[in-house]
Coordinates of all heavy atoms in Angstrom, one line a residue:
S1 N 122.8 246.3 -70.1 CA 122.4 246.9 -68.8 C 122.5 248.5 -69.0 O 123.7 249.0 -69.0 CB 123.2 246.5 -67.7 OG 122.9 247.2 -66.5
T2 N 121.4 249.2 -69.2 CA 121.5 250.6 -69.4 C 120.9 251.4 -68.2 O 121.1 252.6 -68.2 CB 120.6 251.0 -70.6 OG1 119.2 250.7 -70.4 CG2 121.1 250.2 -71.9
G3 N 120.3 250.7 -67.3 CA 119.6 251.4 -66.2 C 118.2 251.8 -66.5 O 117.4 252.3 -65.7
I4 N 117.8 251.5 -67.8 CA 116.4 251.8 -68.2 C 115.8 250.4 -68.7 O 116.2 249.9 -69.7 CB 116.3 252.8 -69.4 CG1 117.0 254.1 -69.0 CG2 114.9 253.0 -69.8 CD1 117.1 255.1 -70.1
G5 N 114.9 249.8 -67.9 CA 114.5 248.5 -68.2 C 113.9 248.2 -69.6 O 114.2 247.2 -70.2
F6 N 113.1 249.1 -70.0 CA 112.5 248.9 -71.3 C 113.5 249.1 -72.5 O 113.4 248.3 -73.5 CB 111.3 249.9 -71.5 CG 110.3 249.3 -72.5 CD1 109.2 248.5 -72.0 CD2 110.4 249.5 -73.8 CE1 108.3 248.0 -72.9 CE2 109.4 249.0 -74.7 CZ 108.4 248.2 -74.3
L7 N 114.4 250.0 -72.3 CA 115.5 250.1 -73.3 C 116.3 248.8 -73.4 O 116.7 248.3 -74.4 CB 116.4 251.3 -73.0 CG 117.6 251.5 -73.9 CD1 117.2 251.6 -75.4 CD2 118.4 252.8 -73.5
D8 N 116.6 248.3 -72.2 CA 117.3 247.0 -72.1 C 116.6 245.9 -73.0 O 117.2 245.2 -73.8 CB 117.4 246.5 -70.7 CG 118.4 247.3 -69.8 OD1 119.1 248.2 -70.4 OD2 118.5 246.9 -68.6
H9 N 115.3 245.9 -72.7 CA 114.4 244.9 -73.4 C 114.5 245.0 -74.9 O 114.5 244.1 -75.7 CB 113.0 245.0 -72.9 CG 112.0 244.0 -73.4 ND1 112.3 242.7 -73.6 CD2 110.7 244.2 -73.9 CE1 111.2 242.1 -74.1 NE2 110.3 243.0 -74.3
M10 N 114.5 246.3 -75.4 CA 114.5 246.5 -76.8 C 115.8 246.2 -77.4 O 115.9 245.7 -78.5 CB 114.1 248.0 -77.1 CG 112.6 248.3 -76.8 SD 111.4 247.3 -77.7 CE 110.9 246.1 -76.4
V11 N 116.9 246.6 -76.8 CA 118.2 246.2 -77.3 C 118.4 244.7 -77.3 O 119.0 244.2 -78.3 CB 119.4 246.9 -76.5 CG1 120.7 246.5 -77.0 CG2 119.2 248.4 -76.6
E12 N 117.9 244.0 -76.3 CA 117.9 242.6 -76.3 C 117.2 242.0 -77.5 O 117.6 241.0 -78.2 CB 117.4 242.0 -75.0 CG 118.3 242.3 -73.8 CD 117.6 242.1 -72.5 OE1 116.4 241.8 -72.5 OE2 118.3 242.3 -71.4
Q13 N 116.0 242.6 -77.8 CA 115.3 242.2 -79.0 C 116.1 242.4 -80.3 O 116.1 241.5 -81.2 CB 113.9 242.9 -79.1 CG 113.0 242.6 -77.9 CD 112.4 241.2 -78.0 OE1 112.5 240.5 -79.0 NE2 111.9 240.7 -76.8
F14 N 116.7 243.5 -80.3 CA 117.5 243.8 -81.5 C 118.6 242.8 -81.7 O 118.8 242.2 -82.8 CB 118.2 245.2 -81.4 CG 119.2 245.5 -82.4 CD1 118.9 245.7 -83.7 CD2 120.6 245.4 -82.1 CE1 119.9 245.9 -84.7 CE2 121.6 245.7 -83.0 CZ 121.2 245.9 -84.3
S15 N 119.3 242.4 -80.6 CA 120.4 241.4 -80.7 C 119.8 240.1 -81.1 O 120.3 239.4 -82.0 CB 121.1 241.3 -79.4 OG 122.0 240.3 -79.4
K16 N 118.8 239.6 -80.4 CA 118.2 238.3 -80.7 C 117.8 238.1 -82.1 O 118.0 237.1 -82.7 CB 117.0 238.1 -79.7 CG 116.3 236.8 -79.9 CD 117.1 235.6 -79.7 CE 117.4 235.4 -78.2 NZ 118.1 234.1 -78.0
H17 N 117.1 239.1 -82.7 CA 116.5 239.0 -84.0 C 117.4 239.4 -85.1 O 117.2 239.0 -86.3 CB 115.2 239.7 -84.1 CG 114.2 239.1 -83.1 ND1 113.5 237.9 -83.5 CD2 113.8 239.4 -81.9 CE1 112.7 237.6 -82.5 NE2 112.8 238.5 -81.5
S18 N 118.5 240.1 -84.9 CA 119.5 240.4 -85.9 C 120.6 239.4 -85.9 O 121.4 239.3 -86.9 CB 120.1 241.8 -85.6 OG 120.9 241.8 -84.4
L19 N 120.7 238.6 -84.9 CA 121.8 237.6 -84.7 C 123.2 238.3 -84.5 O 124.2 237.8 -84.7 CB 121.9 236.6 -85.8 CG 120.7 235.7 -86.0 CD1 121.0 234.6 -87.1 CD2 120.4 234.9 -84.7
I20 N 123.1 239.6 -84.1 CA 124.3 240.4 -83.8 C 124.5 240.3 -82.3 O 123.6 240.7 -81.5 CB 124.1 241.9 -84.2 CG1 124.0 242.0 -85.8 CG2 125.3 242.7 -83.8 CD1 123.6 243.4 -86.3
D21 N 125.6 239.8 -81.9 CA 125.9 239.7 -80.4 C 126.1 241.2 -79.9 O 126.8 241.9 -80.6 CB 127.1 238.9 -80.1 CG 127.0 237.4 -80.4 OD1 125.8 237.0 -80.6 OD2 128.0 236.7 -80.4
V22 N 125.5 241.5 -78.8 CA 125.6 242.8 -78.3 C 125.9 242.8 -76.8 O 125.1 242.2 -76.0 CB 124.3 243.7 -78.5 CG1 124.5 245.1 -77.9 CG2 124.0 243.8 -80.0
T23 N 127.0 243.4 -76.4 CA 127.2 243.8 -75.0 C 127.1 245.3 -74.8 O 127.7 246.0 -75.6 CB 128.6 243.4 -74.5 OG1 128.8 241.9 -74.6 CG2 128.9 243.8 -73.1
M24 N 126.2 245.7 -73.9 CA 126.0 247.1 -73.8 C 125.9 247.4 -72.3 O 125.0 247.0 -71.6 CB 124.7 247.6 -74.5 CG 124.4 249.1 -74.3 SD 122.8 249.6 -75.1 CE 123.2 249.5 -76.8
K25 N 126.9 248.2 -71.8 CA 126.9 248.5 -70.4 C 126.9 250.1 -70.3 O 127.8 250.7 -70.8 CB 128.1 248.0 -69.7 CG 128.2 246.5 -69.7 CD 127.1 245.8 -69.0 CE 127.2 244.3 -68.9 NZ 126.1 243.6 -68.2
V26 N 125.9 250.6 -69.7 CA 125.8 252.1 -69.6 C 125.6 252.5 -68.2 O 124.7 252.0 -67.5 CB 124.6 252.6 -70.5 CG1 124.5 254.1 -70.5 CG2 124.6 252.0 -71.9
D27 N 126.4 253.5 -67.8 CA 126.2 254.1 -66.5 C 125.9 255.6 -66.8 O 126.9 256.4 -67.1 CB 127.4 254.0 -65.6 CG 127.3 254.6 -64.2 OD1 126.2 254.9 -63.9 OD2 128.3 254.7 -63.5
G28 N 124.7 256.0 -66.7 CA 124.3 257.3 -67.1 C 123.7 258.2 -66.0 O 123.4 257.7 -64.9
D29 N 123.5 259.4 -66.3 CA 123.0 260.4 -65.3 C 121.5 260.3 -65.2 O 120.8 261.3 -65.5 CB 123.5 261.8 -65.6 CG 123.1 262.3 -67.0 OD1 122.5 261.5 -67.8 OD2 123.4 263.5 -67.3
L30 N 121.0 259.2 -64.9 CA 119.5 259.0 -64.8 C 118.8 259.8 -63.7 O 117.6 260.0 -63.7 CB 119.2 257.5 -64.6 CG 119.6 256.6 -65.8 CD1 119.3 255.1 -65.4 CD2 118.8 257.0 -67.0
H31 N 119.6 260.4 -62.8 CA 119.1 261.3 -61.8 C 118.6 262.6 -62.4 O 117.8 263.3 -61.9 CB 120.1 261.5 -60.7 CG 121.3 262.3 -61.2 ND1 122.3 261.6 -61.9 CD2 121.7 263.5 -61.0 CE1 123.3 262.5 -62.2 NE2 122.9 263.6 -61.7
V32 N 119.2 262.9 -63.6 CA 118.8 264.1 -64.4 C 117.5 263.7 -65.2 O 116.4 264.2 -64.9 CB 119.9 264.6 -65.3 CG1 119.4 265.7 -66.1 CG2 121.1 264.9 -64.5
D33 N 117.7 262.8 -66.2 CA 116.6 262.2 -67.0 C 117.2 261.1 -67.8 O 118.4 260.8 -67.7 CB 115.8 263.3 -67.8 CG 116.6 263.9 -68.9 OD1 117.8 263.4 -69.2 OD2 116.1 264.8 -69.6
Q34 N 116.4 260.6 -68.7 CA 116.8 259.4 -69.5 C 117.4 259.8 -70.9 O 117.9 259.0 -71.6 CB 115.6 258.5 -69.8 CG 115.0 258.1 -68.5 CD 113.6 257.4 -68.8 OE1 113.0 257.7 -69.8 NE2 113.2 256.6 -67.9
H35 N 117.5 261.1 -71.2 CA 117.9 261.5 -72.5 C 119.3 261.2 -72.9 O 119.6 260.6 -73.9 CB 117.7 263.1 -72.6 CG 117.9 263.6 -74.0 ND1 119.1 263.9 -74.6 CD2 117.0 263.8 -75.0 CE1 119.0 264.3 -75.8 NE2 117.7 264.3 -76.1
H36 N 120.2 261.5 -72.0 CA 121.6 261.2 -72.3 C 121.9 259.7 -72.4 O 122.7 259.3 -73.3 CB 122.5 261.8 -71.2 CG 122.4 263.3 -71.1 ND1 122.4 264.0 -69.9 CD2 122.3 264.3 -72.0 CE1 122.3 265.3 -70.1 NE2 122.2 265.5 -71.4
T37 N 121.3 258.9 -71.5 CA 121.6 257.5 -71.6 C 121.0 256.9 -72.9 O 121.7 256.1 -73.5 CB 120.9 256.8 -70.4 OG1 121.5 257.2 -69.2 CG2 121.0 255.3 -70.5
T38 N 119.8 257.4 -73.3 CA 119.2 256.9 -74.5 C 120.0 257.3 -75.7 O 120.4 256.5 -76.6 CB 117.8 257.4 -74.6 OG1 117.0 257.0 -73.5 CG2 117.1 257.0 -75.9
E39 N 120.3 258.6 -75.8 CA 121.1 259.1 -77.0 C 122.5 258.5 -77.1 O 122.9 258.0 -78.1 CB 121.2 260.6 -76.9 CG 121.9 261.3 -78.0 CD 122.0 262.8 -77.9 OE1 122.6 263.3 -76.9 OE2 121.3 263.4 -78.7
D40 N 123.2 258.5 -76.0 CA 124.6 258.1 -76.0 C 124.7 256.6 -76.3 O 125.7 256.1 -76.9 CB 125.3 258.5 -74.7 CG 125.5 260.0 -74.6 OD1 125.1 260.7 -75.5 OD2 126.1 260.4 -73.6
S41 N 123.8 255.8 -75.8 CA 123.8 254.3 -76.0 C 123.6 254.1 -77.5 O 124.3 253.2 -78.1 CB 122.8 253.6 -75.2 OG 121.4 253.9 -75.6
A42 N 122.8 254.9 -78.1 CA 122.5 254.7 -79.6 C 123.7 255.1 -80.4 O 124.1 254.5 -81.4 CB 121.3 255.5 -80.0
I43 N 124.3 256.3 -80.0 CA 125.5 256.7 -80.7 C 126.6 255.7 -80.7 O 127.3 255.4 -81.7 CB 126.0 258.1 -80.1 CG1 125.0 259.2 -80.4 CG2 127.4 258.4 -80.6 CD1 125.3 260.5 -79.7
A44 N 126.9 255.2 -79.5 CA 128.0 254.2 -79.3 C 127.6 252.9 -80.0 O 128.6 252.3 -80.6 CB 128.2 253.9 -77.8
L45 N 126.4 252.5 -80.0 CA 126.0 251.3 -80.8 C 126.3 251.5 -82.3 O 126.8 250.6 -82.9 CB 124.6 250.9 -80.5 CG 124.0 249.7 -81.3 CD1 124.8 248.4 -81.0 CD2 122.5 249.5 -81.1
G46 N 125.9 252.6 -82.8 CA 126.1 252.9 -84.2 C 127.6 252.9 -84.5 O 128.1 252.4 -85.6
Q47 N 128.4 253.5 -83.6 CA 129.9 253.5 -83.8 C 130.5 252.1 -83.8 O 131.3 251.8 -84.6 CB 130.6 254.4 -82.7 CG 130.3 255.9 -82.8 CD 130.8 256.6 -81.6 OE1 130.9 256.1 -80.5 NE2 131.0 257.9 -81.8

């Protein structure tokens, strides 16, 4: 749950087809734009 529906869909695809279990909960400043939510979710996933 990132607050961006299509990003959710893509991370779900990543999990399903990699067989890597993924929990991802993001509360971002979407009232500004989607940049921080997109970038920070990727950084945290990589970490």
Side-chain angles (χ1 to χ4, degrees):
S1 177
T2 67
I4 304 171
F6 206 90
L7 176 56
D8 290 357
H9 182 44
M10 291 302 101
V11 175
E12 290 166 358
Q13 295 293 340
F14 169 74
S15 174
K16 175 63 72 173
H17 294 281
S18 67
L19 298 183
I20 297 172
D21 293 349
V22 177
T23 296
M24 178 181 289
K25 301 297 183 182
V26 185
D27 182 12
D29 57 355
L30 294 176
H31 63 286
V32 176
D33 67 7
Q34 302 167 338
H35 187 276
H36 299 141
T37 295
T38 299
E39 179 179 66
D40 291 2
S41 69
I43 290 170
L45 177 61
Q47 291 171 336

